Amino acid sequence: MLTIEHLNCGYGKHEILHDISVTIPDKKITAIVGQSGCGKTTFLKTLNRMVEEEQGYTTGKISLGNTDIKSISKETLRSRIGMVFQQFNLVDRMSVLRNVMLGALSRTALWRSLLGFFHEEDARLAYKALARVGIMEKAHQRTSNLSGGQQQRAAIARALVQRARVLLADEPIASLDPESSRNVMETLRDLNQKDGLTVLVTLHQVDYALSFCPRTIALKHGRVVYDGPSAELTPAFLKRLYGTECDSLFARQESDIRRNPPLTQVQVA
């Protein structure tokens, strides 16, 4: 479980997040929604201490279980909390398998990683992860030959090789077509429901939160303006939260919504 208490975050004199206090339950999938610039990505980066690497600052407390994350080494924290990025962060010229095995870097000696000599156990784990996200047949292909959706699933497989139990996904479908977006969201939901991963995913479109995430946290100008069942995020309610800005939050094609209808109140419960 991740517990965030009175979190403030910013860069220099520019504060982005303001007094955020939320709890992310273990083994649940939660969406964070809001317009571009509201602080979604920054919020995820505070959870694995990436903000520190970017010369930003945080105040407040973030706990993983009962442990303050600032007392955990960054290497250990990255082995527990994996992150998937909007632009995949894969090496195009490498094979898919090699990219996925990079998830084992935190437990691999530097000389072995430089030479590509990963442990046999990690190779088996990489194949298993690729099978888990449905692209094992792509293992030996050059990564640049994959579609956007396949590359995003490879990035998810890399996080699985980290042996992370918490998966942060930052706008993982923002640059994908509707079919690929659906496949990636189904993969994240499947990893949560069948493997027990805690998943926190930022989304620009509320439609996907309604279909795939029972709970949603809504941000506006760096503050939490809603934290509760996704099913309550009706267009009328969002209009009250965001005004005319809410129009862009419902952007999914009707055909894709029919394939993945919004969660019902029973499903949310």
Side-chain angles (χ1 to χ4, degrees):
M1 182 171 67
L2 280 163
T3 305
I4 297 93
E5 302 173 82
H6 303 292
L7 173 68
N8 297 279
C9 174
Y11 296 86
K13 295 182 179 180
H14 179 47
E15 187 167 270
I16 298 173
L17 302 177
H18 315 284
D19 197 29
I20 291 180
S21 294
V22 294
T23 298
I24 310 299
D26 190 29
K27 300 180 181 180
K28 301 293 183 181
I29 180 168
T30 302
I32 299 179
V33 302
Q35 288 199 306
S36 297
C38 72
K40 300 189 301 293
T41 295
T42 300
F43 179 62
L44 288 194
K45 288 181 176 181
T46 66
L47 303 181
N48 64 2
R49 296 176 59 188
M50 285 184 66
V51 168
E52 297 175 23
E53 298 176 2
E54 298 173 350
Q55 308 305 311
Y57 70 87
T58 60
T59 62
K61 184 178 181 181
I62 302 173
S63 301
L64 181 60
N66 296 319
T67 306
D68 188 328
I69 65 167
K70 290 185 178 179
S71 69
I72 305 174
S73 71
K74 289 183 181 179
E75 293 75 16
T76 300
L77 188 64
R78 299 290 165 79
S79 70
R80 298 179 185 178
I81 301 179
M83 190 156 181
V84 177
F85 300 87
Q86 177 180 339
Q87 299 302 327
F88 320 135
N89 282 22
L90 301 172
V91 182
D92 286 345
R93 65 180 182 277
M94 283 187 182
S95 70
V96 175
L97 180 65
R98 181 75 180 277
N99 266 294
V100 171
M101 289 180 68
L102 292 177
L105 281 178
S106 65
R107 57 181 182 272
T108 304
L110 179 61
W111 71 269
R112 294 184 69 95
S113 63
L114 290 174
L115 295 174
F117 293 161
F118 289 91
H119 295 286
E120 185 176 341
E121 178 185 354
D122 291 325
R124 288 196 297 268
L125 186 59
Y127 277 114
K128 183 178 178 180
L130 285 169
R132 188 69 189 79
V133 300
I135 56 169
M136 188 171 70
E137 74 281 1
K138 306 293 184 181
H140 299 290
Q141 290 190 22
R142 186 184 173 101
T143 301
S144 58
N145 292 334
L146 269 59
S147 68
Q150 290 168 340
Q151 289 193 47
Q152 193 59 284
R153 282 189 277 170
I156 294 170
R158 181 181 57 195
L160 295 180
V161 171
Q162 287 179 233
R163 297 174 178 165
R165 299 310 301 165
V166 176
L167 183 59
L168 310 176
D170 183 28
E171 299 267 10
I173 60 173
S175 59
L176 304 180
D177 60 78
E179 183 69 17
S180 296
S181 296
R182 180 177 61 84
N183 289 336
V184 168
M185 289 303 299
E186 286 178 346
T187 298
L188 292 173
R189 181 176 60 186
D190 201 43
L191 290 171
N192 165 249
Q193 294 180 347
K194 296 183 179 179
D195 295 47
L197 263 67
T198 301
V199 178
L200 190 58
V201 53
T202 64
L203 297 167
H204 186 67
Q205 296 95 346
V206 174
D207 311 80
Y208 286 98
L210 292 172
S211 293
F212 294 97
C213 305
R215 175 193 176 199
T216 292
I217 298 169
L219 295 181
K220 181 179 180 181
H221 304 316
R223 300 182 185 275
V224 174
V225 292
Y226 176 78
D227 180 2
S230 301
E232 294 185 9
L233 292 175
T234 62
F237 181 69
L238 285 169
K239 187 83 168 181
R240 291 198 297 272
L241 288 180
Y242 291 101
T244 57
E245 297 176 356
C246 78
D247 294 342
S248 65
L249 297 177
F250 282 90
R252 195 145 56 105
Q253 293 184 5
E254 183 64 30
S255 60
D256 193 43
I257 294 173
R258 285 197 297 269
R259 282 194 293 267
N260 292 277
L263 295 166
T264 65
Q265 293 285 0
V266 174
Q267 288 173 301
V268 170

